[in-house]
Amino acid sequence: MQTAVVPSAPLKLRIVGGLASLSQYNRQEEPFWTRDLERLSGGRYDAEIVPFDRAGVPGPEMLRLLQLGVVPFGTALMSSFTAQNPEYTAPDLAGLNPDIATLKTTLAAFRPYLEKALREQHGVEALAIYVYPAQVVFCKKPLRTLSELSGRRTRVSSSTQADFVGALGGVPVLTGFAQIIPSMTAGNTECAITGTMSGNTLGLHTITTHVHALPVTWGLAVFGANRAAWEGLPPDLRALLRKELPRLESAIWEESERETLDGMACNRGATSCVAGRKGSMVVVPVSPQDERRRQEILLSSVLPRWVERCGALCAQVWNQTIGPVRGLPLPPPK
């Protein structure tokens, strides 16, 4: 009597992805893990994924949880590294990358250091680096130049954004994403820095009138694996992920660029608006004066304050990675 061969169930990975509700997660990450992986592996592997802001994982804890293996595969916002590892936030400092092409150059210079540091210091294998659309300034009152942020209470989401707003004479107010609209409605803030499309999704186009075109920051995220979990995967699955995750990364970067432009189109009510809701906002272009201010603030405030928080290590890392490529050397802290 022959024993029936029962096909083994596919190995299922548990993934903590990026921010819920945003296109990066809905249109790229979730389909890759829940649909594409099984197809690409011929049914041998699949995955379940949950966005980190719905997984009960505080952003600043993600790197530690990856290191411990509590989260075997997870996505960490690089801005959340500020408190423990401020050197990792170098490629997306406020005012550093006025367009996505510059951001790519900056990240390429920094990436080898980041991957090595995560592997050697945290036992985390960096498998991809994702980007969110440009973070720009929305305001309830007319805004002609960045200098007019002076005196305005402006929502920020990170220390480096706070440095940028403060250098313009504005009053930075650290506010969670979900609290942007309540804060503005209550009059606690007059302006907000957030994504061009995520601001539209929130409804900022209905309560603000002006949006400035300069990307203050972007928003980088590392998708990484606990080293033991990574090395415990079957070799063919590791090879498959090494091949496919760069493609996912590339698709996310392309979508981020598209969504940056589409967010602006929707906020101003252009016929080219695809994914958002049409507003009637004034888009404030980047003037030569704004570009000068960006460069001045980066050199006189953002970079020095980042080094103050981080110390000699940041200056050293910067001068070995981004500084030479961008022509922005840093003196060591006094």
Side-chain angles (χ1 to χ4, degrees):
M1 184 175 174
Q2 284 188 319
T3 305
V5 177
V6 180
S8 58
L11 173 64
K12 194 180 222 30
L13 302 180
R14 291 184 300 118
I15 309 294
V16 178
L19 287 162
S21 309
L22 299 187
S23 298
Q24 172 178 313
Y25 182 83
N26 293 327
R27 297 218 290 251
Q28 303 292 345
E29 288 180 271
E30 186 179 38
F32 174 81
W33 292 108
T34 60
R35 185 189 66 206
D36 297 350
L37 179 61
E38 188 171 16
R39 174 179 57 80
L40 290 164
S41 67
R44 293 191 303 280
Y45 309 112
D46 73 1
E48 56 187 26
I49 182 171
V50 62
F52 80 78
D53 49 336
R54 292 185 185 162
V57 179
E61 296 297 314
M62 179 60 80
L63 185 57
R64 180 76 178 143
L65 295 175
L66 279 167
Q67 186 173 3
L68 293 171
V70 175
V71 174
F73 302 90
T75 308
L77 291 176
M78 285 170 64
S79 60
S80 72
F81 299 155
T82 299
Q84 302 299 325
N85 300 96
E87 68 275 18
Y88 297 164
T89 64
D92 195 25
L93 293 174
L96 178 59
N97 302 296
D99 52 61
I100 202 162
T102 307
L103 176 62
K104 288 178 180 177
T105 300
T106 303
L107 181 61
F110 190 74
R111 189 170 190 152
Y113 167 81
L114 179 66
E115 291 177 348
K116 185 170 186 280
L118 289 174
R119 186 181 299 120
E120 294 179 357
Q121 296 173 30
H122 305 277
V124 171
E125 194 69 26
L127 299 173
I129 298 178
Y130 305 145
V131 66
Y132 289 100
Q135 307 283 300
V136 298
V137 180
F138 292 76
C139 282
K140 292 200 283 189
K141 293 178 183 174
L143 183 77
R144 288 166 299 184
T145 68
L146 285 173
S147 296
E148 291 183 358
L149 283 180
S150 179
R152 300 194 197 189
R153 292 174 61 81
T154 301
R155 180 265 177 170
V156 298
S157 61
S158 64
S159 308
T160 187
Q161 287 183 0
D163 293 339
F164 192 85
V165 168
L168 286 163
V171 181
V173 182
L174 193 63
T175 311
F177 181 70
Q179 296 306 309
I180 292 176
I181 295 285
S183 175
M184 279 200 151
T185 305
N188 295 331
T189 48
E190 303 159 75
C191 301
I193 298 175
T194 191
T196 61
M197 182 59 83
S198 52
N200 182 276
T201 302
L202 274 181
L204 275 178
H205 62 292
T206 65
I207 64 167
T208 60
T209 60
H210 288 63
V211 57
H212 198 285
L214 179 80
V216 179
T217 59
W218 292 82
L220 295 171
V222 178
F223 176 69
N226 170 271
R227 186 165 55 194
W230 173 248
E231 291 174 352
L233 294 180
D236 66 318
L237 177 53
R238 286 204 306 272
L240 177 66
L241 292 176
R242 285 284 191 206
K243 177 184 172 189
E244 296 298 333
L245 283 172
R247 294 179 180 175
L248 174 63
E249 176 182 311
S250 179
I252 284 172
W253 279 73
E254 287 170 13
E255 176 138 335
S256 175
E257 190 167 14
R258 279 196 308 273
E259 196 163 85
T260 293
L261 298 173
D262 193 34
M264 283 301 211
C266 294
N267 289 324
R268 74 172 186 268
T271 54
S272 58
C273 169
V274 175
R277 291 169 293 171
K278 289 184 182 178
S280 55
M281 298 190 71
V282 174
V283 174
V284 183
V286 182
S287 67
Q289 178 191 348
D290 288 328
E291 177 56 20
R292 283 195 301 273
R293 289 292 282 140
R294 176 192 71 79
Q295 294 180 35
E296 287 167 7
I297 288 169
L298 176 65
L299 293 172
S300 66
S301 182
V302 171
L303 277 168
R305 295 199 66 172
W306 174 67
V307 173
E308 276 175 28
R309 287 191 290 271
C310 179
L313 175 62
C314 273
Q316 179 186 340
V317 168
W318 179 270
N319 287 331
Q320 290 172 350
T321 57
I322 297 167
V325 170
R326 294 291 308 277
L328 297 167
L330 265 179
K334 294 172 185 173

